Structures are given as C-alpha cells and as structure tokens.
C-alpha cells in the first residue's frame, strides 16, 4: 500500500478499506499521532483535505463526451474500463474510481479529526470558521461519493435507494464495519452539514480560493440543491454570489482566445481567474495521457460533428473553445490544466504529477440558476442568464443584433423531452428545451472535467459508445451501471454491493 502517513491511516480507519498488505500495518495502533491543540494546527490539518485526485480520468470516459478514437493498441485500464462501464477494482491510482473513493474518505477523515479537535478548543477565538470549513469538507466529499456510487437523488425512491456510509466520527479501531445509509439519509446529513458550515464560515471573509470560503459554500449549495431539485434554493444561493455576473464568467470569447492555448494553462485554474470560486490540487498523473494518447477520448470526429459545430447552439455561431490536436487524426484537446512534477526522491528521479484543477466556478453557478429558472417556468430570466453566458462562450455574439428567443431554443433542441427524462416531469416543450440548452452549454464549458457524466446520470440519458470493429455498447436510461460498484475491499468489510 502507498502513502502510509497519518492522513491515509485516518482514511483507512474511517471506512476500513484495506488490502491484505494493510492488515499487519493496522494491527498496531499508532501512538505518535500529532496533537491538534490549536486553531493553527486545525487549519493546517484542514489544508490537507483538499489535496487529492480529481475524478476526470474516469468520469469523462464514462460520458457521451468520449468515443473510440481507433487507437486499439493504446490501452489504459482506467480509461478502458470506464469507457465500457466495467468495474475496476485493480488499479488504485489516484485517477481511478477506487483511488477517488479513498481520497474522498481521507478528506472526510481529516474533517472529522478537525471537528473532534475543535470540540476540545471551544472558547478559542475565531474557531467557528474552521468548524464551518470542516463541516463543508465533510458534506462536499460525501456529496461526490453519493453521486458516483449511488443512484441520483429521486424523492420518490431516495429513502430506499442505497447511498454510501456517512462517516461522522474519528475512528480508533482498525476494522469497524459500516452500513450504507440511504440516499435520502445521506442527502439529509449533507444538507445539515452544509447549512451549519455555511453559517459558520460567513465570518471568514478573507478565505483564499484554495479552500472553502463563503462564496464557495454557496456555490456548493447551488449545485447541491440543483441535484436535489429545490429550485428556489438554487436561485437563492446562486443569486447571493452573482452580484455582477458579467465580470465573474470565464471569458472564452475574448480573453482566452487572445491568450492562445499555451497561455491559457497557467490562468485556467489560477486563483487570479475571476471565474474560479474554489480550486484544488491532486495527483492526477493520467489526465493528459487520457486527453491526448488514450484510445477513448474526444476524437476529432466527435469534436467536429457533435461537440463544437456552430449548429449545436441556438445562435448558430462558432464556439469560442479553442482546441489543439497533437497527432494527425488523433484526439483533440481543449487545454485547461498543466501537470507539475513533484519529486518524492530527487536523487532517484521519481515522483508524482500534480495538477491544480477547478472545483467550483461562477459559470456553473449561473448555469444552475438558469436551469432553476426554467424549472420554475421563469423563461425570461432563464434566457437572460443563457444570453449572458453565450456572450462569453460564442465568437462575436451580440445579443442586440441576434437575440436569444424561445423559438431559437425550440428549433435547436426539439427532442428534449425524449432525451432528458429526470425523475420530475417537464411542464412544456420549452421548459425541457431550455434545460437541455443549459446542459449542452455546461457540456462544452466543462469538457475534460468530468461534469457531463453527472448530467448523463441525473437526466437519465442514454449513452452510446462506439468500439472499432465491434458492436456499439449502450448505457440505457435507467442502466444500473450508472452507479459505480462499491470497491471490493470495502465489500469485504460488510458494505452491500450495487446491483449492476
């Protein structure tokens, strides 16, 4: 096993997912733990909760953003198994599902340790914001887990749908058994932690963008309530932080196009980029390999015929997302993140690739609000939000000369009611088409970031993947493979598997 440090030990203790190589290690309880006895130590501990892998390398190839590029000899297990929606319990790389599972529970364990230490520091000045941050971390990573390993939230079935364990305690025993809470129970606990954390963190008005701030808490709330279907709260929390949205959106149409792809890299995930609400970093060694060299990625054909043609938006204008192609006929890449190699042993020349990535953005918040307006039947405000977004994502778009109308949206997305079938009904064709317009914009804005997979799930979309020389494989609307299988090592300690 790797990374046998305090934080990894906490993760293992929190969920008891160990391989055979860990059993001897865990048979001896450590007695040299760091004592967390001050606010400064709590804050340093919490800083480690944000340092973990992203999900892009396995969520993106599961989505309809990816097809077979024909490189039949370019095999990567995470890429291949994700594209085929197969269970991958072998590769514990940080970019794999099991690696992400471990990382999320590690962050949750850190938050729980911080909360336990804070409980002993009651009365310490300014500790409330740290408690709020810990609660938000715990809520956020449980939210990510339940939206990958369980069914999407459906109020009619959430009470009986299997969720994930919601870990709220610091563990002091190596093989504690857990049960999966229901999706409803997990969402209720996330909401409890989110609301309390959001209230406590309001005092931390100078929090940097690489941790939860008051704005990041509300951006997370915007996403949480969107997935839950509470449209009023989506609008409330989104509007709270969108005071002047025109200055907060990522400007692909002017600023990024002028920069060129090389200069986009240091800015995209920077804390200096106004669009970024919260950034994180982690070991994401497979990210660029996935984008450029893997068999299953954004192929040139998919990009030119499905993702980036002007006919895929209601204004009929070119998308402003510039892409590059590294090989003739190969995959195309919208360059966003760059890897930074960190040596673990400089003399041996070994180490890990780390990457700063964007966790929450104002663009997503505005898209969430536009969708919520559409679901409320407020078409005018939904169109106003979409119009503002298009000014930043389309080349030479002038709303005064080419207004976005309901007719344009219906013409571009005429089959929305058939393609999108969430647990709640659409009241009209225009409502469904507006929601699809938002989803299709989100699809392009977050290409290579794995966000599309969550829309594939929550809208019960059918996804078809091609296989060179073989029959296509289809993920049907209610296909149980949309829920990742619980890792085998967790199943061995009592967790119930998903029915896939």
């Amino acid at each position: 096993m790797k990374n046998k440090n305090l934080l990894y030990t906490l993760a293992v203790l929190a969920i008891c997912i160990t391989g055979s190589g860990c059993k001897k290690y865990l048979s001896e309880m450590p007695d040299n733990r760091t004592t967390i006895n001050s606010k400064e130590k709590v804050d340093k501990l919490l800083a480690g909760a944000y340092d973990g892998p992203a999900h892009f390398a396995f969520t993106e190839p599961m989505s309809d953003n990816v097809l077979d590029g024909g490189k039949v000899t370019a095999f990567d297990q995470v890429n291949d198994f994700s594209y085929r929606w197969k269970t991958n319990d072998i590769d514990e790389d940080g970019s794999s599902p099991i690696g992400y599972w471990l990382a999320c529970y590690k962050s949750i364990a850190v938050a729980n340790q911080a909360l336990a230490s804070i409980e002993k520091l009651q009365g310490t000045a300014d500790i409330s914001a740290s408690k709020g941050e810990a609660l938000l971390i715990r809520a956020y990573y449980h939210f990510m887990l339940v939206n990958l390993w369980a069914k999407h939230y459906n109020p009619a079935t959430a009470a009986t749908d299997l969720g994930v364990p919601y870990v709220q305690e610091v563990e002091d025993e190596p093989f504690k058994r857990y049960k999966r809470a229901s999706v409803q129970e997990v969402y209720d606990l996330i909401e409890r932690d989110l609301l309390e954390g959001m209230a406590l963190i309001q005092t931390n008005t100078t929090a940097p963008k690489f941790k939860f701030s008051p704005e990041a808490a509300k951006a997370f709330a915007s996403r949480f309530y969107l997935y839950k279907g509470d449209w009023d709260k989506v609008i409330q929390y989104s509007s709270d932080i969108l005071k002047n949205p025109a200055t907060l959106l990522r400007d692909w149409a002017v600023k990024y196009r002028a920069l060129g792809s090389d200069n986009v890299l240091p800015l995209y995930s920077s804390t200096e980029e106004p669009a970024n609400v919260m950034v994180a970093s982690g070991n994401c060694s497979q990210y660029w390999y996935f984008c450029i060299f893997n068999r299953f990625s954004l192929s040139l054909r998919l990009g030119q015929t499905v993702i980036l043609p002007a006919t895929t938006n209601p204004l009929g204008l070119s998308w402003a997302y510039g892409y590059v192609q590294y090989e003739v006929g190969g995959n195309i890449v919208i360059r966003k993140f760059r890897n930074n190699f960190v040596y673990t042993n400089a003399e041996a020349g070994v180490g890990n690739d780390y990457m700063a990535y964007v966790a929450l953005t104002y663009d997503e918040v505005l898209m969430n609000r536009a969708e919520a307006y559409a679901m409320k039947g407020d078409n005018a405000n939904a169109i106003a939000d979409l119009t503002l977004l298009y000014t930043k994502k389309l080349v030479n778009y002038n709303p005064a000369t080419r207004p976005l109308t309901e007719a344009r949206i219906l013409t571009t997305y005429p089959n929305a009611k058939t393609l999108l079938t969430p647990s709640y009904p659409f009241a009209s064709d225009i409502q469904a088409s507006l929601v699809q317009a938002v989803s299709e914009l989100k699809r392009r804005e977050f290409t290579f970031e794995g966000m599309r997979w969550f829309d594939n799930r929550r809208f019960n979309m059918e996804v078809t993947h091609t296989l060179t020389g073989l029959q296509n494989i289809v993920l049907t609307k209610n296909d149980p493979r949309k829920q990742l299988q619980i890792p085998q090592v967790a199943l061995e300690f009592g967790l119930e598997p998903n029915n896939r």
Side-chain angles (χ1 to χ4, degrees):
M1 295 294 290
K2 300 172 286 187
N3 301 324
K4 292 180 180 176
N5 55 32
L6 173 61
L7 298 184
Y8 189 77
T9 303
L10 287 170
V12 175
L13 292 174
I15 195 58
C16 296
I17 35 184
T18 68
S20 58
C22 283
K23 293 180 181 178
K24 181 178 179 182
Y25 174 65
L26 284 176
S27 67
E28 299 177 9
M29 294 301 293
D31 58 7
N32 59 344
R33 301 173 185 175
T34 301
T35 302
I36 311 299
N37 55 8
S38 70
K39 180 183 183 302
E40 290 72 22
K41 289 182 178 179
V42 167
D43 290 342
K44 287 180 180 180
L45 179 66
L46 287 173
Y50 302 96
D51 183 14
H55 53 74
F56 315 152
F58 65 90
T59 51
E60 192 74 1
M62 288 195 291
S63 77
D64 57 0
N65 275 354
V66 170
L67 288 180
D68 188 351
K71 300 179 180 182
V72 295
T73 60
F75 176 79
D76 173 80
Q77 182 166 285
V78 172
N79 181 248
D80 187 275
F81 279 39
S82 299
Y83 185 79
R84 300 170 193 263
W85 305 299
K86 294 171 62 177
T87 298
N88 178 6
D89 260 333
I90 302 170
D91 194 338
E92 292 189 20
D93 182 272
S95 299
S96 70
I98 189 173
Y100 191 70
W101 169 282
L102 281 167
C104 287
Y105 277 114
K106 182 207 80 172
S107 296
I108 290 164
V110 171
N112 286 334
Q113 178 60 64
L115 288 166
S117 299
I118 288 168
E119 188 66 26
K120 297 177 181 179
L121 292 171
Q122 290 302 321
T124 302
D126 301 324
I127 200 70
S128 60
S130 299
K131 181 178 180 180
E133 182 183 1
L135 289 167
L136 289 164
I137 289 169
R138 186 167 74 183
Y140 177 81
Y141 285 105
H142 279 112
F143 176 79
M144 298 306 297
L145 287 162
V146 79
N147 278 288
L148 287 169
W149 276 273
K151 291 182 179 180
H152 184 72
Y153 182 84
N154 178 347
T157 63
T160 55
D161 290 337
L162 284 174
V164 295
Y166 202 95
V167 182
Q168 304 177 69
E169 302 171 341
V170 175
E171 296 306 331
D172 55 5
E173 56 183 283
F175 300 115
K176 182 173 180 177
R177 290 180 175 267
Y178 284 86
K179 292 183 179 179
R180 296 176 65 179
S182 70
V183 170
Q184 185 66 60
E185 289 169 331
V186 173
Y187 263 69
D188 288 346
L189 290 167
I190 291 170
E191 185 170 26
R192 180 204 65 187
D193 283 350
L194 168 61
L195 293 177
E196 184 180 355
M198 190 160 41
L200 291 171
I201 209 168
Q202 294 307 310
T203 60
N204 194 2
T205 57
T206 60
K209 286 187 177 181
F210 48 81
K211 61 190 302 182
F212 268 108
S213 64
E215 293 77 18
K218 291 182 178 180
F220 171 35
S222 171
R223 185 190 295 180
F224 171 79
Y225 286 112
L226 183 79
Y227 284 26
K228 193 177 180 184
D230 191 332
W231 317 122
D232 287 330
K233 288 184 179 177
V234 176
I235 294 167
Q236 173 192 338
Y237 290 116
S238 300
S239 299
D240 280 351
I241 58 173
L242 290 171
K243 301 304 182 185
N244 189 5
T247 65
L248 298 173
L249 302 180
R250 197 179 307 277
D251 188 357
W252 283 96
V254 178
K255 182 169 73 173
Y256 276 65
R257 279 175 63 82
L259 285 173
S261 62
D262 285 340
N263 293 322
V264 164
L265 293 180
L267 178 62
Y268 191 89
S269 55
S270 168
T271 57
E272 301 302 315
E273 166 56 61
N276 296 337
V277 187
M278 190 170 80
V279 298
S281 66
N283 182 350
C284 303
S285 59
Q286 297 195 37
Y287 176 73
W288 275 115
Y289 190 90
F290 154 65
C291 295
I292 302 168
F293 302 113
N294 277 349
R295 176 178 175 180
F296 307 116
S297 190
L298 181 55
S299 66
L300 179 64
R301 179 172 64 88
L302 179 65
Q304 291 183 338
T305 61
V306 176
I307 304 295
L308 296 174
T311 53
T312 57
N313 66 73
L315 286 313
L317 296 172
S318 297
W319 293 99
Y321 306 108
Y323 66 85
V324 296
Q325 188 176 18
Y326 288 87
E327 301 170 305
V328 175
N331 300 327
I332 63 175
V333 182
I334 299 172
R335 302 184 72 195
K336 295 180 175 181
F337 308 127
R338 64 179 179 182
N339 286 7
N340 296 296
F341 190 79
V342 178
Y343 286 100
T344 54
N345 186 327
E347 291 184 1
V350 296
N352 296 305
D353 280 316
Y354 279 81
M355 180 182 74
Y357 61 90
V358 184
L360 296 164
T361 73
Y362 286 107
D363 293 277
E364 181 196 351
V365 171
L366 188 58
M367 292 178 203
N368 294 344
R369 189 175 75 174
E371 183 179 328
Y373 277 139
M375 291 307 303
K376 291 283 291 181
D378 189 347
N379 296 356
N381 271 322
I383 289 173
D385 282 352
L386 276 169
T387 297
L388 178 55
L389 285 156
Y390 283 134
T391 63
K392 305 293 185 179
K393 317 302 176 183
L394 299 176
V395 178
N396 298 325
Y397 175 44
N398 183 349
T401 59
R402 192 188 295 250
L404 180 63
T405 64
E406 291 186 10
R408 289 183 187 273
I409 293 168
L410 283 166
T411 299
T412 308
Y413 309 112
N415 302 313
K417 273 190 172 182
T418 301
L419 297 173
L420 311 183
T421 53
S423 60
Y424 43 85
F426 290 121
S428 62
D429 289 340
I430 183 58
Q431 184 181 63
S433 294
L434 276 167
V435 171
Q436 187 179 357
V438 176
S439 180
E440 291 297 324
L441 178 54
K442 188 177 288 186
R443 179 184 192 180
R444 286 150 184 83
E445 178 69 15
F446 299 109
T447 301
F448 296 108
E449 297 181 54
M451 291 289 287
R452 178 63 172 177
W453 175 243
F454 297 95
D455 273 7
N456 289 156
R457 280 171 41 90
R458 69 191 186 93
F459 290 127
N460 295 319
M461 296 182 188
E462 182 174 287
V463 179
T464 299
H465 280 170
T466 60
L467 284 170
T468 301
L470 298 173
Q471 186 175 1
N472 294 346
I473 50 177
V474 179
L475 195 71
T476 58
K477 283 183 172 291
N478 295 303
D479 201 304
R481 290 174 295 174
K482 287 182 178 176
Q483 293 82 56
L484 292 172
Q485 185 57 277
I486 302 296
Q488 180 61 37
V489 287
L491 297 177
E492 291 173 1
F493 285 94
L495 294 193
E496 187 174 345
N498 285 323
N499 179 18
R500 299 180 85 245

